[in-house]
Amino acid sequence: LEESLIFEIGSNDVTGVDFPEGDVVGSRLGDLSRTSPIGLPGLTEPETVRHYTRLSRQNYAIDLGLFPLGSCTMKHNPRLNERVARLPGFADIHPLQPVDSVQGALGLIHELADWLVKLTGMNSVAMSPKAGAHGELCGILAIRAALEARGDARQVVLVPESAHGTNPATAAFAGYKVEAIPATKEGRVDLEKIRERLGPDVASVMITNPNTCGLFERDMKAISDAVHEAGAFVYCDGANFNAIVGRVRPGDLGVDAMHINLHKTFSTPHGGGGPGSGPVVFSEALTPFAPLPFVEKRDDGFHLVEEETADEHHAHSFGRMVAFHGQMGMFTRALSYIMSHGADGLRQVAEDAVLNANYILRSLDDVLHAPFGKGPCMHEALFGDAGIAEGLSTLDIAKALIDEGFHPMTMYFPLVVHGAMLIEPTETESRADLDQFIGAVRSVVERAKAGDERLKGAPYYAPRRRLDETQAARKPVLVWNEPEPAAAAE
Amino acid sequence: LEESLIFEIGSNDVTGVDFPEGDVVGSRLGDLSRTSPIGLPGLTEPETVRHYTRLSRQNYAIDLGLFPLGSCTMKHNPRLNERVARLPGFADIHPLQPVDSVQGALGLIHELADWLVKLTGMNSVAMSPKAGAHGELCGILAIRAALEARGDARQVVLVPESAHGTNPATAAFAGYKVEAIPATKEGRVDLEKIRERLGPDVASVMITNPNTCGLFERDMKAISDAVHEAGAFVYCDGANFNAIVGRVRPGDLGVDAMHINLHKTFSTPHGGGGPGSGPVVFSEALTPFAPLPFVEKRDDGFHLVEEETADEHHAHSFGRMVAFHGQMGMFTRALSYIMSHGADGLRQVAEDAVLNANYILRSLDDVLHAPFGKGPCMHEALFGDAGIAEGLSTLDIAKALIDEGFHPMTMYFPLVVHGAMLIEPTETESRADLDQFIGAVRSVVERAKAGDERLKGAPYYAPRRRLDETQAARKPVLVWNEPEPAAAAE
Amino acid sequence: MRYLPLTNDDRQAMLAKVGASTIDDLFVDVPEIARLNGTIPDLPMHASEMAVERHLSKLAARNLTAGDGPFFLGCGAYKHHVPASVDHIIQRGEFLTAYTPYQPEIAQGTLQMLFEFQTQVARLFGTEVANASMYDGSTACWEAVVMAGRVTRRKRAILSSGLHPHYVSVANTMAKFTGDTLVTGTPALTAEPDTDALIEQIDDDTSCLVVQYPDILGRIGDMTKLAEAAHAKKALLIAVVTEPVALGAIKSPGEMGADIVVGEGQSLGVGLQFGGPYVGLFGCSQKLVRQMPGRLAGETVDAEGKRGYVLTLSTREQHIRREKATSNICTNSGLCALAFSIHMTLLGEAGLRRMAALSHAMACRTADALTNIPGVELVNDHFFNEFTVKLPGEARPVVRALADKGILAGVSLGRLYPAEGALANGLVVAASEMTTQEDITALAQGLKEVLA
Amino acid sequence: MRYLPLTNDDRQAMLAKVGASTIDDLFVDVPEIARLNGTIPDLPMHASEMAVERHLSKLAARNLTAGDGPFFLGCGAYKHHVPASVDHIIQRGEFLTAYTPYQPEIAQGTLQMLFEFQTQVARLFGTEVANASMYDGSTACWEAVVMAGRVTRRKRAILSSGLHPHYVSVANTMAKFTGDTLVTGTPALTAEPDTDALIEQIDDDTSCLVVQYPDILGRIGDMTKLAEAAHAKKALLIAVVTEPVALGAIKSPGEMGADIVVGEGQSLGVGLQFGGPYVGLFGCSQKLVRQMPGRLAGETVDAEGKRGYVLTLSTREQHIRREKATSNICTNSGLCALAFSIHMTLLGEAGLRRMAALSHAMACRTADALTNIPGVELVNDHFFNEFTVKLPGEARPVVRALADKGILAGVSLGRLYPAEGALANGLVVAASEMTTQEDITALAQGLKEVLA
C-alpha cells in the first residue's frame, strides 16, 4: 500500500482535536478576520496515527541498524534522555518567566556548561547556538569581535581542503575571505603551508580535529602556537570531539574556540535533521566576547545575564544569536547522557569509538583502498574507490548496501580522496553488528570489483528505487497542489 | 536480516542496567544463596532497543492498518489514554497503601463503575475480573452463589452453538454441565427451543448479544422473561457491547449479568494478547453475590470493601477473584475514552460501528455468500465460503489478504456457518480505508472463485510464509536450548 | 469526535449504499422496549482531550505515590526501577496495538518475544518450560492447583500458611465451586516457616502442596524436603514466587524439586499500578506441558524452512476444546510479559544478581535501623528484600499515622488478616535497590515518633 | 556502562585484530602534552539511570511550570494544548533516530512529512512555497533579511518597532559583521502600530521592511499599504509571525502582499521548553525560491516511475557551495517540524480556526477582567490572543510578586526593553484555549492585591 499525502486523504472540515463547545462571542480582531479558506486538511486521530506510523516505516534509523555515516556520528540515543527532557519542570516552562521561578532550569544549564568547560579544558562556554554551524558562526564572530576590539581588521580565514562545507560558509557569512590550506599526503593539514601563509591579514585558522579523514592533527599544538604568534585565533571544528572526549582536552592544544555538536558527542537524537545544539567553548582570550545571554551562579542563586545586565558584567559581548537561551531540550538530554557516563565512561566512549573504527579499517583494507591507512585512524575509517570496476562508483556501492539492510556510509566526502567512503561506526555498535556490516561491505565491494552491473540499479528492496534528483531540482515541486482536472482524469 | 534470539546474541555478564557501585555487605539469605548460573543473557541498551524495534516490525497492528477481526473488535487506541495511565498518581501507587492515601484512585474506579452501570442500565458492577473470560466466570459464579443461597442446586447451563468458546469453558470450569442451544436458520438462538429446555435443572442461559453472527437477538426480552420464569438467570456475553453502547441498555432486556471487555468497547490496547479487563455488571438480584473487593463512596470518602469489612456490608459475596483490585491501568484508559466520547459520542460509536459493518456487508454480498444477510447486521458482517473453487478455502483467502496489506478476518468462527469469515471494521475506520479493504477482498475472492492455485501459497510478502503448526504441536519446542555441539557444527 | 473518521457526508452516502434511510433502520432488530431515543440520562457529553486530561490529573494528584517519599510496601507488589527504554518499546504501536498472534506470518514480533519470555521465566524458575503468561500471580496460583488436580486426579490441595492471604482467598473462592478441598492456615510470627507441619498434612488424596518462596512474612524456607515428601505421596509441589527478583539471590524452586512454579512478574518492567495489570508467571516440567493452562509460543519452520514461531498446543484451549478446555482463560498478559522480558533482557544475569544483592542489602539496613527502636522485634532470621517486625502494639494505625507524614511504611498484617488478633502487631517491610539511606532514616525516625 | 556494547573480551580481540597491544596505541598521534593519563579531574564518575533521573527530577522540581497555575506568558512563546498522539509519534525510533534524509530511498517517511509540512506552512502563511524549517523564528527572521539583501542587492533593512526585541537583537548582532544597515525603533504604547512612519523610512537603498504580525504588543496592523509602499521602491516586505495560531483567525501575510513570511512554529506541537528547541518557519514566493535558505523537500519519481521525495536545490547549500552558500545553516529543526505538522494535521482547518477563536475569546475575557482593575489600562484596540496593559507603576516587580503567588502573569516590557523607561509600566498578557475562567479570576484577583 502506498501512503497518500494528507492533502489527498484529509478534508478541511475534519478535525482530530475536540475543543470545548459553545459560542465564542465578541471579536477584537479589527477588520482583518480571515475569511478565505486556508486549505489545511484535517485527519481524525486514528487516521493521523496510522498515516505517520506508516510513513515512519519508510525510514531507516539507528534503532533499526548500524548507521555508518562518517563525520555524522549516528549513535544510540538513550531513552532516559527522552524521559527526563519531558519532565514538566523542563518541558513546560516559559523562557521569559521570572528567573526566581526557573532556578532548576538555570541550574541545569550551568551544570552542563561546567561539564563542557572541564571536558574541553577551556575557559567558558556559550550555550545558545542552535546547531553546529550556528556554533561555528558564534566562534568566528567572537574571534572577529576580539580582533575588532583591538582595532585589528583582518580579512582572511584559512580553512583546510578537507573541512566540512559549513566552515568556509560560516567564515564567508561572517564577512571573511576564505583561503584553502592544502593537505599533506598523509591526510593532515600542512603545518609548513600554514606557517608560510600566516600574516597580519589572517584572522583565524579553522581546523577540524580529529579531522574529516579520521586522523588526529598531530601538529595541532604547533599550529596553535604559530597562529597565536601571528596574532590570529584558532577555531577548532569540534564535530569529531566524540573521538577524543575524556582523553584529550582541546584547551591543552591551544584552541581558542570550538563548537560541540551535542548530538554527535552527547547522544541527543538526530531527529531526521535536527534540532541540533552547538555550544561553543572559549579560551580566556575570547571569553569576554562571548554572546548573550548566559547563566551565572551568584550567592543568591542563578542569574541570567541578558542585554540589561550585560554592561556591567560582559561589556564586550558580541551580542545575541537567538531569541531565548538555546536548545534547553537538548541540554537536558546531553546532561543526562554525560552524567550517565561520567568522566570514566566518556573516556571509554572515545576509546570504543576509535577501536570500532580501527576494527573496520583493518577488516576492510584488504578489499578497499585506504589512502591514509598506514597508521591508526581515530573514530572513522576512510576509503577510496580505487580498484572498483570501470563504470561502477562509490554511489553504486552505497546504494547496494541498502539492499544488504544497512544505511550507506558517507560518500564523496572528504573531497581530498577520490570516490571517498567515510565510515564511522561509533561506540554504541557491538562487535557482532560490526562483523555483520563488514561482511556486507565486503560482499558488495567484491561485486563492484568484479564489475557486477546489477549494482547500478540498487537499491532493489527499499521503499523506493533510485530517485530522480535532477528532475526535482530542475522543476522544483515544493508544495502539493490540487491536481488539475485534466490530469486527474487521465 | 533475520533477528536472532537474545540467547544467541546476549551473554550472561553483559548488562544494560547500571547500579550504584560499591561492596554489598552482609547476607541474611541463610544457606539458600543461588550459586549455579541462571542462564539469563543481557544486552546493553542500544542492542535491546534495536532487538525489540526490529521484532516489532514483524507485527501487524491497528496503527498500520485495518484489522477486520470479527468478534475481536480491534479499534484505534487513543494516545491520551496511554498518557493518563502513566500519571504517577495512577501508575506508581501500591495496592495495599492506606485508603486515605489513594482517594483519587478509588475515586476513579468509582467513577468508571458509575458509567458502566448507567450505560448498561444495570444495578452494580464488579471491577476486579482480569479479562473477558474471567468476567464470564465472575458472572457465572455470582449466579451459582445466588442459586445456592436459595438452596437451589441446578446443574445445567445452556449455551448457543454460535457462542465464543469461553462460554462453555467457563460454565464447565464453574462445575456446570453445558448443553447447546440450536440456532434458527436466521442465525439467532431459537426461543422455542430454549422455552422447551428450561426447567428446574437449568441454572442459566448464556446469550451473546449482539451475537457472533453479527445479529441482534430480537427475542432477548422474551428469552429473559422465560428464563426468569423458570427460576434461572440470564448471562449475557458482552463482548459485542460496542455495537449497541449508548443505544441499548442490556438491563432493559432483562440481563442478570454481563461482562464488558474494556478493550473491545472502550479502546484499551490489545497489546498482542492482553492485558484485558472484564468488569461485570449485575442486576439487582445478583448484586448481593458480587465478588470482593469493591469501592464504596461514603460521606467521608471512598472506602475499599475487602474481606474484613465484608461481613457488615456484603455478607453474600461469593469471594475474591484476584489478589488486588483489578486492572487499574485499564480503568484509567477506559475512563479517559468514555469521558472523551461522552453519552453522545458513545452512541455515535455504536452507530458508526454498525454502519461500517453494513457497508461492508452490502459491498461484498454480491461476491461472497452472506448466509444471514437479508436484514441489516450489527457491528460485523458474516460470510460463508460457498462459491469458492474446489481445493481452495477460507484459509487461503485469509492468507492472501496478508499480501494485500491487511490482517485476515476471523475465520471458521462462528461454527454455525461453513468456512465462516467474520468481518468487523469498528467505528474507527474511515470510508476510504473501508473501500480499500473491500477492493482487496473482492480481488482475492474473485481469484478464489476462479480457482487461482497461487492463493494456496499465500502469504508471499510477509515476514514469514505459512508456518508449520503441526510440527510445533507434535514436538513442542517451548524454550530455547543451547544447540548441541554436533548440530552447531553442521 | 476526534476518534471517529466518518463525516456526516460519509454517513449519508453509506446509508444510501446499504439501502437504509436513517441509522435507526439498522437497529430495527432491537425490540421497541429497549430502544433509547436520545442519549442515556445523567451522563455527561463528550469532552476535549484537554478537559479529560485535566480531570484525570486532578484525581491522580489526590494519591500519595511511591515516588513521593520513603516507600516500604511489598506483600506481592514491589517497586523497582524500570529503565526508560522498557516503556519506550512497549509503546511502539506494533506491540501496543497488535492482536493476539493467531496469524503467525504477521506476528513474529510478538511470538518471538513470547518464546524468549518463556525461556527467561523457565530459567529463572528452574523449570523446563513456561507459558506465555497468565493474568497475575494469584490466578496463576489457582490454575496451578487445578492443573495438579488434573495431573494427579485428586482434589485435595494443601496451601502453606505462608502463602499470600489474597492468593488463599482466590483459591478458596474457586474451590467452593469446583469442589476441591483446600487445607489452609494462618502464619505464626516465628523465624522459620513450619515445614514439618506441612509435611504431616500430606496424604494419599493430596494433589499438591502450595508453598510461597519467600513467604508472606519474607521467610525463606528450603523446599527440598517438601518436594521429597510430596513426591513420596505422588503429589506435586507447587512453588509460588511473588518477588521474582529474589531468584537473582536465592536458589530457584525448580532446583529444589518443585513441579510447578508460578509467580507474579510485576517486579520487572511492569510497575505498581495499584494492583494491575500484572503478569502471572507459570513454569513446569516438560512432562506436564499438555496439562498446562494458558497460551504457549513454540518454535517451528515456515514453508521455506525458515525458523519461526506459532501459538501451539491450542487444542488445550477453549476456542477448540470449548467445555473440555484446560482453563477458560482466553487472554494472557502480553504487553506486561513484553515489559518483563525487556527488563530482564536489559538486566541479564549480572544485572539481576546485582539488583537482588542491592535490594537485599537495603533490606538488611532497614531491618537493622528498625530493630534499633525499642519495642520493635525482627521476626525473621532470614529474608531477601522483605521481613516482618513485631511492633509493641497494633500495626495498622501506625501505618496510617506514618502515611499522614508522607511515609509509606509497609503492610500491616492487620490489613491482610483482619480476623487474626495474634498477627495485628506484625508489619511487613520491603526494600529495593531504590531505597536510600535517607528513606531508611526517615522511616526509623517516623516510627520512633509514632510509637513514642 | 549500559550504552557500550563492547565487552572487555571484545576489546582484547579487536585490539589484536588491529594490531595494537593497548588502546593507547590507537591514540599515538596525540601529542604527549595533550595526553591525559587518567580521567579528567573534578568530574564525577558514571551514574546509574536511577541516580541520574533522581538528580534531574530534583532540578526540574525547582521550576514553576506553566501547568502549575494560572499562566499568561507570550511574547514569542505560547502555551497551547498538544494532543498526546503528537508526542507518541515523534518518539517512534524511525523518526527520532533517523538521519537527515540524504538517502531518499530509505528516508521517504521524513521526506514526505517535510513535503507535507512545507505545504502546510505555505498555505498558513499565504505564500507559494515554504522550506523544511529553520532553527527558530529569530534566526529565520535574520535569514530573511539576508535573503532580501541577496534578492535586491541592497544592504539597508527597516525593522518595525513592533518586532520582537530579541529578533531585533539577533539582527543587530549579525548586521555588525555583515555590514548591513538596520533601521530599528522602540514601540510606543499606542493602540495601533505606526505604519506611516515605517513607510516614510523606505528609500531606494532599502532591501526590505520587516514587520511583525501581530506585533510584540499584540497589535494587528494591516500590511497591505506596507507591501505597496515597499514594492513601489522595489524593496521586499518580510512579515514575521511569532504566533502561527493567529493565522487561524486573521488574514495571512501572503494575502496582504508579503514577499517573505517567517515565523516561530513552537505554538503547534512543540511546547514551551524554556525557549528551545523551537522551529523556524519560512515561506516565500515561487520566484524567490532559489534564493531561499535552508533545506527543501521536493517531489520527483524513482527509477520505476513511482512518486517520491528528495532533498532538492541543494546546490544552494554549504556542502556543495561551501563559501558561496546562501547560508551556513546545515540543520533544520526536523523533529519539531514533524511535531508541528502532526499537530496541524490533527487540527485541520476547522480545528485551527476553533483553537484560534477560543484563544481570542479567552484573551478578550482576560482583557476585560484586567481593565476592570482601577489603574490598569488596555493599550490595544485590536489583538488576537495577546494584548498589552499599562499598569500604574513598573510591571517587572509586579510580575515577580505574582510569580511568588504561583501566578505567571505575563511578560513585563521592562524585561524586554530594560533601557526604555517609557515602557516600564507595560505588561504583555497572553491567553489560549487552555486558559480557564478560574485562571482569569486568579490573575485579576492577584493583580488587584499586588497593586493595592
Side-chain angles (χ1 to χ4, degrees), chain A residues 16 20 28 39 247 273 323 344 468, chain D residues 46 166 300 332 346 349 354 368:
Chain A
R28 306 207 196 164
R247 283 197 66 112
D344 53 337
D468 187 342
Chain D
H46 68 276
H166 284 179
T300 186
N332 59 346
L346 280 165
E349 181 148 345
R354 178 79 190 160
D368 291 342

Side-chain angles (χ1 to χ4, degrees), chain C residues 356-379:
Chain C
L358 286 169
S359 295
H360 180 57
M362 296 319 292
C364 290
R365 284 211 221 175
T366 309
D368 291 342
L370 295 187
T371 47
N372 263 337
I373 301 170
V376 177
E377 218 177 289
L378 181 63
V379 171

Side-chain angles (χ1 to χ4, degrees), chain B residues 5 61 68-69 102 109 112 191 194 201 235 298 382 405 407 461:
Chain B
L5 291 161
L69 278 176
V102 289
I109 295 175
L112 177 60
L191 172 60
I194 291 181
D201 60 335
Y235 186 86
R298 300 185 198 152
L382 177 61
H407 193 281
Y461 306 113

Side-chain angles (χ1 to χ4, degrees), chain B residues 211-243:
Chain B
N211 71 23
T212 61
C213 300
L215 303 175
F216 194 90
E217 294 288 356
R218 279 186 208 139
D219 298 326
M220 190 70 202
K221 186 71 176 69
I223 295 170
S224 298
D225 291 344
V227 170
H228 290 156
E229 206 167 308
F233 292 95
V234 178
Y235 186 86
C236 181
D237 182 323
N240 299 335
F241 184 52
N242 57 306

Side-chain angles (χ1 to χ4, degrees), chain B residues 390-427:
Chain B
E390 189 71 33
L392 289 175
S393 67
T394 291
L395 182 72
D396 299 320
I397 292 177
K399 298 293 183 189
L401 264 180
I402 293 175
D403 286 335
E404 301 286 324
F406 291 99
H407 193 281
M409 63 282 278
T410 295
M411 296 178 279
Y412 303 110
F413 180 85
L415 309 175
V416 294
V417 170
H418 194 270
M421 292 174 243
L422 189 60
I423 301 178
E424 175 176 6
T426 84
E427 73 280 4

Side-chain angles (χ1 to χ4, degrees), chain A residues 330-350:
Chain A
M330 301 294 124
F331 300 160
T332 319
R333 289 172 174 87
L335 182 59
S336 164
Y337 176 86
I338 287 175
M339 288 183 66
S340 294
H341 276 296
D344 53 337
L346 291 171
R347 191 177 163 92
Q348 190 70 54
V349 161

